[in-house]
Amino acid sequence: MSDPTTLNRLYGRRQGHKLRAGQAQLLEQLLPQIEVPEEGPVSSRLLFGDDRPLHFEIGFGSGEHLAYRADLLPDHGFIGCEPFLNGVVGALQHIRVGFVPNIRLHMGNALDILSRVPDGALSFVYLLHPDPWPKARHAKRRMMNHGPLDMIAAKLKPGGEFRLGTDHPIYCRWSMMIMNQRRDFDWLAQAPKDFLVRPGGWPETRYEAKARRLGHEVWYFRYRRNERLAGARG
């Protein structure tokens, strides 16, 4: 079945409301200074000048989680990818206000950048509240498919962590089904409360707060990359 690694396209909106003058200025002046280069390997040394631990966020929304984690871990490096223009502007505002120097951004498809990360280079990968594509015929568009997960597994070092958050019950069940088919990740939950309570160091984003106001449950999944080969299933 096709999935986001083979469809080679993005779905959904790319831009919402019109940018204000200050937002447009951020996009024109700050983004070029912290963009991921268009070519070459995406390594910690190339982006930050040293071999610090590297984090990768797929679809960072407005950047609250990305900025929080980067501020919490100033000696780590963070790569955030988001195709939505207004989301990128939101992240730039967090970076400017908080003077967060250890973030690099890409406005576009996260898998294009992830494919250029050296194997075993990442300490964390985050996928928080991805589009659930709830209709069965759209399941191939979900990021939680074996193609993207094969790539995530390859880029994570053994012992690295993959974090998933969702408030959509269909996506929750689908993700559990997909991850239960894999042998290259160990689920870190030991009791039901472990994926019903937000772990420490995992801030609440505005998207999550909105979900809770609507009465939605939110699920938090943490998986550790083990020593088995990426793509191992059975």
Side-chain angles (χ1 to χ4, degrees):
M1 181 177 69
S2 297
D3 62 36
T5 57
T6 56
L7 290 170
N8 197 31
R9 62 171 296 188
L10 295 169
Y11 296 88
R13 299 182 305 164
R14 300 299 298 273
Q15 183 173 355
H17 60 79
K18 184 179 179 180
L19 298 182
R20 298 188 294 273
Q23 293 174 320
Q25 186 177 36
L26 271 180
L27 199 68
E28 294 171 2
Q29 296 183 5
L30 180 55
L31 181 59
Q33 299 177 38
I34 61 171
E35 273 187 307
V36 176
E38 294 184 0
E39 298 179 349
V42 180
S43 66
S44 178
R45 182 163 291 277
L46 183 145
L47 295 179
F48 302 102
D50 54 34
D51 293 322
R52 64 182 65 195
L54 202 56
H55 301 233
F56 194 101
E57 184 161 350
I58 300 171
F60 54 71
S62 293
E64 301 104 323
H65 174 270
L66 183 67
Y68 178 94
R69 292 287 288 170
D71 184 63
L72 184 69
L73 300 167
D75 56 342
H76 291 210
F78 289 78
I79 302 168
C81 300
E82 171 63 55
F84 188 37
L85 175 63
N86 297 88
V88 172
V89 170
L92 291 171
Q93 290 172 322
H94 285 294
I95 293 168
R96 178 194 61 183
V97 171
F99 301 103
V100 188
N102 55 331
I103 294 177
R104 300 294 181 266
L105 300 181
H106 171 69
M107 186 166 62
N109 190 340
L111 296 178
D112 292 342
I113 303 302
L114 188 60
S115 67
R116 293 164 48 202
V117 173
D119 286 356
L122 298 178
S123 295
F124 283 85
V125 174
Y126 310 99
L127 177 62
L128 307 184
H129 299 280
D131 195 318
W133 294 108
K135 295 181 180 179
R137 68 176 185 271
H138 293 153
K140 63 186 178 181
R141 300 182 182 181
R142 296 171 186 158
M143 192 62 68
M144 286 298 290
N145 271 299
H146 288 301
L149 287 167
D150 286 349
M151 190 182 299
I152 290 170
K155 305 307 177 180
L156 275 170
K157 64 183 181 182
E161 189 170 318
F162 171 52
R163 293 186 178 184
L164 165 71
T166 183
D167 64 303
H168 200 287
I170 291 177
Y171 206 84
C172 177
R173 292 193 295 269
W174 172 269
S175 300
M176 292 176 71
M177 178 191 73
I178 293 293
M179 292 304 288
N180 284 342
Q181 295 171 4
R182 304 189 66 90
R183 296 295 174 263
D184 46 2
F185 286 97
D186 298 322
W187 192 12
L188 298 180
Q190 297 180 345
K193 67 179 179 64
D194 291 338
F195 61 98
L196 293 171
V197 178
R198 188 186 318 106
W202 186 327
E204 182 182 58
T205 64
R206 70 184 69 182
Y207 187 95
E208 181 183 335
K210 179 181 178 181
R212 291 202 179 279
R213 287 196 302 270
L214 294 173
H216 297 177
E217 184 59 87
V218 179
W219 295 277
Y220 310 90
F221 294 94
R222 297 174 59 221
Y223 295 93
R224 179 183 294 126
R225 175 72 167 88
N226 60 39
E227 299 281 354
R228 298 184 185 95
L229 293 174
R233 306 168 204 169

